[in-house]
Amino acid sequence: MSGTETSKAYLWFDTEFTSLDLDRARLLQVALLGTDVNLDPLTPEDQGINLFIRLEEGTEVSSWLTDNLPDLITTCRSSQAVPEKEAGERMIEYVDGLFGPPAEEVRARPVLAGNSVHSDWFLARRFYPELCRRLHYRHLDVSALKLQWFDWLDGEPFDKENRDRVLEYLPFPGHHLPDRTHDAYYDIHASIAELNFYRKRLLTHRPDTP
């Protein structure tokens, strides 16, 4: 099988943000983890990026977040949070540490991956265009397989909020997986586990097997 169209790697990315209006939303958390195409991390699991973004006083936050994720808001207003610019610099340092400077050939760049990753890509374009310069033009959206799982096979949902279920299908130890859902770092691991779930149950044929 020719490897000319094989992805170099997957860059799993997820964000938490203040509003579903993405044109006005501000970032609250960013998480990043590089894997190869077999879903094995390219660095030790605890060396991925997991950053809370400093939330300035007066920034509008949706009532859903205030009611359901007060701990996240508190963290973003604490000393644990970093400025938006610093978060971008640290993500660039992580990506360049894995892949070197942005490849001139766009097909040689890592593929952005996640669930409904177009939303996260949109925010990355707004806040971190230098990160987007390091990405392949394709995206790996696990939600596309989710739709096929439901629409074509009427399959049982993969419960991403069930931590034990996520750990069962995560193809590497989840020692550093947060306990809470609606957390960007938890969500990238849940997306990797969900893709692995579909690979085992939906994508069962490989071209190099009879």
Side-chain angles (χ1 to χ4, degrees), residues 13-123:
F13 182 57
D14 195 80
T15 59
E16 297 292 338
F17 39 89
T18 58
S19 168
L20 291 178
D21 182 351
L22 298 183
D23 288 313
R24 300 177 57 193
R26 306 302 302 184
L27 290 169
L28 295 171
Q29 186 185 7
V30 293
L32 203 59
L33 182 68
T35 72
D36 62 19
V37 296
N38 295 315
L39 308 183
D40 294 319
L42 299 176
T43 58
E45 183 198 354
D46 60 354
Q47 291 183 18
I49 293 291
N50 181 25
L51 298 171
F52 296 95
I53 310 301
R54 186 170 299 158
L55 185 63
E56 303 297 338
E57 289 296 330
T59 302
E60 185 177 350
V61 177
S62 73
S63 57
W64 187 92
L65 278 168
T66 303
D67 293 341
N68 292 277
L69 299 178
D71 291 345
L72 175 60
I73 303 302
T74 298
T75 300
C76 291
R77 288 177 172 152
S78 75
S79 60
Q80 296 181 53
V82 301
E84 186 179 282
K85 181 180 178 181
E86 180 182 335
E89 291 170 349
R90 288 171 64 176
M91 287 194 291
I92 294 300
E93 182 181 8
Y94 176 77
V95 174
D96 287 355
L98 290 177
F99 307 110
E104 286 191 25
E105 175 55 64
V106 69
R107 287 180 293 184
R109 300 174 189 171
V111 172
L112 195 70
N115 255 300
S116 299
V117 75
H118 57 278
S119 296
D120 305 293
W121 176 79
F122 181 92
L123 292 171

Side-chain angles (χ1 to χ4, degrees), residues 172-189:
F172 50 87
H175 302 310
H176 304 278
L177 190 64
D179 290 329
R180 67 185 183 192
T181 57
H182 294 294
D183 175 280
Y185 199 63
Y186 177 97
D187 286 345
I188 57 174
H189 289 76

